[in-house]
């Protein structure tokens, strides 16, 4: 397969310039209009153009990352900004506004203890990614379960490294300490622990004020949890269209709806203080087993069905070769 990373590199300034202009306009319009429907209406041109920008990239990796940054994070943050809700404010300096609106970052509360990043952990993850990429060369000789395990590990480590690199670079540039995006999800002892406190925390932080809190305040916590997971499922379904370039199948939405119902039931069970709860070690195995099992059943099939995973693997291997030329 031939991948035009060089073409994507050429198109990256176009993508960056378009995102810069749209977000700069969003900041300007928000500074001139009072919060409410009028400000929201002024931002609609920006929100309507976001979905087209990721198609500047021909490779799946860059296309889906840019779609996640703009069409989920920036979209939801600008919706909150329309009603003067954090994390954005038109009073932010332009560079900070651009960074916080479009990237998976969040300023750390000064009252919280400082975050210590481990270079050893970072180096270990980078080495693991290299090992996984090397094993991919023999993918056809491996069982589907081994390949699936590699995909799960690849997904976690790759996202962690990409988000960490983004946060470290931007934090250094704007001189702001940022919160970590992952918190050792392999130590999750419950679904609530996995989704709410350990996995992709930037998504959790943006879904709470946009979906969970409004629904919880009106219909209760269980409805809030299920609605939040339903929204997450719809957004993942949307992102998967950038991966497969095919119509949605509904499987990813069902994956998150199932997890939403189970997470809500888990919370209901825990609220009964006298009811039995398994030991932590058992809960850890059950949690990770449930996430992996339902992922194998519902999350990964849309990518596996038309062999999009083979394209992503080939892109990863090509990316290593492309990087070695520099």
């Amino acid at each position: 397969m031939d991948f035009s990373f060089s073409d994507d590199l050429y198109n990256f300034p176009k993508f960056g310039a378009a995102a810069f202009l749209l977000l700069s306009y969003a900041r300007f319009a928000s500074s001139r209009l009072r919060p409410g429907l009028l400000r929201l209406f002024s931002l609609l041109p920006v929100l309507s153009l976001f979905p087209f920008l990721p198609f500047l990239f021909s490779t799946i990796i860059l296309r889906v990352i840019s779609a996640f940054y703009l069409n989920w994070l920036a979209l939801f943050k600008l919706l909150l900004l329309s009603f003067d809700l954090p994390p954005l404010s038109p009073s932010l300096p332009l560079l900070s506004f651009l960074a916080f609106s479009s990237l998976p970052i969040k300023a750390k509360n000064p009252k919280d203890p400082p975050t210590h990043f481990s270079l050893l952990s970072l180096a270990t993850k980078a080495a693991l990614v290299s090992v996984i990429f090397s094993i991919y060369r023999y993918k056809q000789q491996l069982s589907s379960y081994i390949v699936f395990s590699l995909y799960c590990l690849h997904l976690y480590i790759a996202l962690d490294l990409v988000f960490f690199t983004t946060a470290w670079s931007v934090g250094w540039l704007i001189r702001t300490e940022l919160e970590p995006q992952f918190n050792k999800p392999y130590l999750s002892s419950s679904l609530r622990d996995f989704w709410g406190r350990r996995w992709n925390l930037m998504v959790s932080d943006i879904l709470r004020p946009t979906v969970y809190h409004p629904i919880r305040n009106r219909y209760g916590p269980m409805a809030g949890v299920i609605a939040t997971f339903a929204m997450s499922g719809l957004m993942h379904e949307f992102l998967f269209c950038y991966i497969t370039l095919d119509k949605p199948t509904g499987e990813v939405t069902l994956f998150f709806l199932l997890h939403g119902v189970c997470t809500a039931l888990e919370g209901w069970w825990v609220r009964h203080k006298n009811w039995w709860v398994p030991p932590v070690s058992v809960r850890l195995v059950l949690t990770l087993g449930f996430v992996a099992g339902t992922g194998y059943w519902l999350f990964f099939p849309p990518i596996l069905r038309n062999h999009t995973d083979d394209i992503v693997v080939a892109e990863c291997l090509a990316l290593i070769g492309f990087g070695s030329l520099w």
Side-chain angles (χ1 to χ4, degrees), residues 34 50 87 108 113 153 187 197 255:
R34 298 182 60 172
F50 275 169
K108 193 172 182 62
L153 194 58
L187 297 180
R197 293 184 286 270
F255 170 84

Side-chain angles (χ1 to χ4, degrees), residues 72 81 90 97 104 106 296 305:
W72 191 338
L81 176 64
F97 184 91
K106 179 182 178 182
Y296 186 82
R305 189 172 295 117

